[in-house]
Amino acid sequence: MIRRVLPHGMGRGLLTRRPGTRRGGFSLDWDGKVSEIKKKIKSILPGRSCDLLQDTSHLPPEHSDVVIVGGGVLGLSVAYWLKKLESRRGAIRVLVVERDHTYSQASTGLSVGGICQQFSLPENIQLSLFSASFLRNINEYLAVVDAPPLDLRFNPSGYLLLASEKDAAAMESNVKVQRQEGAKVSLMSPDQLRNKFPWINTEGVALASYGMEDEGWFDPWCLLQGLRRKVQSLGVLFCQGEVTRFVSSSQRMLTTDDKAVVLKRIHEVHVKMDRSLEYQPVECAIVINAAGAWSAQIAALAGVGEGPPGTLQGTKLPVEPRKRYVYVWHCPQGPGLETPLVADTSGAYFRREGLGSNYLGGRSPTEQEEPDPANLEVDHDFFQDKVWPHLALRVPAFETLKVTGKGWFSFLFLDIGWDR
């Protein structure tokens, strides 16, 4: 009876003829077969799952309270705080859907990894201040039992922003807001700037703001892996796939002034599995869009922007990918170890990268220079023509970069914009 449910061909082959067997008979080939037989027998016993069924461990669950689209730092951070603040362990079921499990083209891993409080909006300043505290105490938040502590290699060298005459008043106003929110930022005149950073040329600089605390840069890849490790330990589920559709229901309601509105609620997410044409449905209560530079595409799947032009329902999510080149170069005569991240009046910026006289930097292109984000190749001429001249003007030691013509390489990241 048992034999009938075993895979075809399993009965044969268990008995094999061995040389030297008495009377030329058969003997059982036990190597590797006994354990296999036991597994198969156990799999068909009552109360046991059948191993003959296809493995579905890579598929998303059929139900999840929350589905987070995007598994970068933002999505993982949302997952972390949902689980951290739940009333009891396991109270909320959270699923993170990420289409690129290698993160090879994700903004998180390709970013410069900077943290700064020198913004114009109080909300951004507060977010950054909390983030700085989170990073400084990272192992109090993301420690996992029996796992090594995280080392983000946080470099607290600060940000140095330079302003021309026409931008000086705005900088002064921004610093006032930053200080009101608790950020420690210093305003510096050109003379003060030269005294503190003698390697800098202050031509065209009317004012500078310098972050004296909780600013700098860190290893974003380490943060990503630390968050992923932690949320998995908290019970967050992961799925490699791409969200292709939302299934929603509509309900007509009246506002306080008796205007009819239609409310839509997503109750199912379709996840297209990697290397497959099939999708898996996931019933849910809440969907969180954490797709970063691709958030507008996810929002469009939910109907955002499909209403009449000029209305809120007809307004698309104003997020789009922007390609930004980041270059690394070597300059033994460059600024020393205490060099902050410098943002020039031209838009060019740089900071040190490690301890070997290497520097990292770039410049945002103008609207006319915007490269196609679908093309991930790096434009080396952009550095030579649009970045290096501004760097060499601001830091004369960088003049030698053009003489060598080598020693720097580049990578890029996708930017979704930031407040200034």
Side-chain angles (χ1 to χ4, degrees), residues 310-326:
T311 66
L312 180 61
Q313 295 84 354
T315 304
K316 295 182 178 181
L317 187 67
V319 177
E320 63 183 22
R322 297 287 181 91
K323 186 165 69 173
R324 295 293 179 263
Y325 305 121
V326 182

Side-chain angles (χ1 to χ4, degrees), residues 273-314:
M273 306 309 297
D274 188 39
R275 295 185 296 275
S276 172
L277 297 178
E278 298 181 354
Y279 71 86
Q280 298 294 326
V282 180
E283 293 184 4
C284 61
I286 297 174
V287 175
I288 297 175
N289 185 353
W294 298 272
S295 295
Q297 299 175 20
I298 300 300
L301 294 177
V304 175
E306 293 183 353
T311 66
L312 180 61
Q313 295 84 354

Side-chain angles (χ1 to χ4, degrees), residues 227-257:
L227 277 167
R228 187 177 175 95
R229 183 181 71 179
K230 181 63 177 181
V231 299
Q232 283 181 312
S233 73
L234 295 174
V236 172
L237 303 174
F238 282 84
C239 170
Q240 181 187 349
E242 183 174 359
V243 172
T244 57
R245 185 188 176 206
F246 296 123
V247 180
S248 60
S249 57
S250 301
Q251 182 179 6
R252 184 177 293 274
M253 300 184 67
L254 294 177
T255 64
T256 53
D257 53 355

Side-chain angles (χ1 to χ4, degrees), residues 74-279:
L74 181 59
L76 295 178
S77 179
V78 172
Y80 169 77
W81 288 110
L82 283 174
K83 298 298 289 183
K84 191 72 174 176
L85 300 176
E86 63 184 350
S87 57
R88 56 180 174 78
R89 185 174 177 87
I92 304 175
R93 195 174 201 187
V94 179
L95 170 67
V96 176
V97 181
E98 170 58 45
R99 63 181 180 181
D100 178 17
H101 71 285
T102 67
Y103 295 95
S104 59
Q105 296 183 9
S107 302
T108 296
L110 299 177
S111 72
V112 176
I115 181 169
C116 173
Q117 283 92 51
Q118 298 183 56
F119 300 105
S120 59
L121 295 179
E123 295 85 353
N124 285 347
I125 300 168
Q126 287 293 335
L127 282 169
S128 188
L129 285 169
F130 176 81
S131 297
S133 174
F134 184 91
L135 295 176
R136 284 187 176 278
N137 301 284
I138 192 68
N139 286 295
E140 294 182 15
Y141 291 99
L142 302 186
V144 174
V145 176
D146 296 331
L150 294 173
D151 179 12
L152 298 182
R153 294 192 288 276
F154 183 65
N155 188 322
S157 294
Y159 271 50
L160 177 65
L161 309 186
L162 309 181
S164 61
E165 191 68 45
K166 68 181 182 67
D167 295 324
M171 174 177 280
E172 197 166 359
S173 176
N174 289 345
V175 169
K176 183 178 179 180
V177 175
Q178 294 154 17
R179 289 172 174 172
Q180 289 173 346
E181 298 300 323
K184 293 180 171 56
V185 182
S186 171
L187 283 172
M188 305 173 69
S189 67
D191 288 340
Q192 292 172 321
L193 191 59
R194 280 191 297 268
N195 289 335
K196 186 167 183 63
F197 305 109
W199 41 263
I200 201 167
N201 173 20
T202 59
E203 179 184 345
V205 177
L207 193 64
S209 62
Y210 177 49
M212 299 181 293
E213 190 175 296
D214 291 334
E215 289 190 342
W217 52 91
F218 59 94
D219 182 354
W221 179 256
C222 181
L223 176 61
L224 174 72
Q225 295 303 315
L227 277 167
R228 187 177 175 95
R229 183 181 71 179
K230 181 63 177 181
V231 299
Q232 283 181 312
S233 73
L234 295 174
V236 172
L237 303 174
F238 282 84
C239 170
Q240 181 187 349
E242 183 174 359
V243 172
T244 57
R245 185 188 176 206
F246 296 123
V247 180
S248 60
S249 57
S250 301
Q251 182 179 6
R252 184 177 293 274
M253 300 184 67
L254 294 177
T255 64
T256 53
D257 53 355
D258 292 331
K259 289 185 178 180
V261 294
V262 176
L263 299 181
K264 296 178 65 177
R265 185 183 73 83
I266 297 172
H267 59 80
E268 187 175 280
V269 177
H270 288 187
V271 181
K272 179 180 174 295
M273 306 309 297
D274 188 39
R275 295 185 296 275
S276 172
L277 297 178
E278 298 181 354
Y279 71 86

Side-chain angles (χ1 to χ4, degrees), residues 327-339 350-361 395 397-398 400-401 404 406-409:
Y327 305 90
V328 177
W329 61 90
H330 183 71
C331 184
Q333 299 81 28
L337 294 177
E338 296 184 357
T339 301
F350 75 92
R351 66 165 172 82
R352 287 188 66 94
E353 175 68 2
L355 304 176
S357 298
N358 294 320
Y359 299 84
L360 174 154
V395 182
F398 288 158
T400 57
L401 290 177
T404 61
K406 59 182 181 180
W408 54 272
F409 61 93

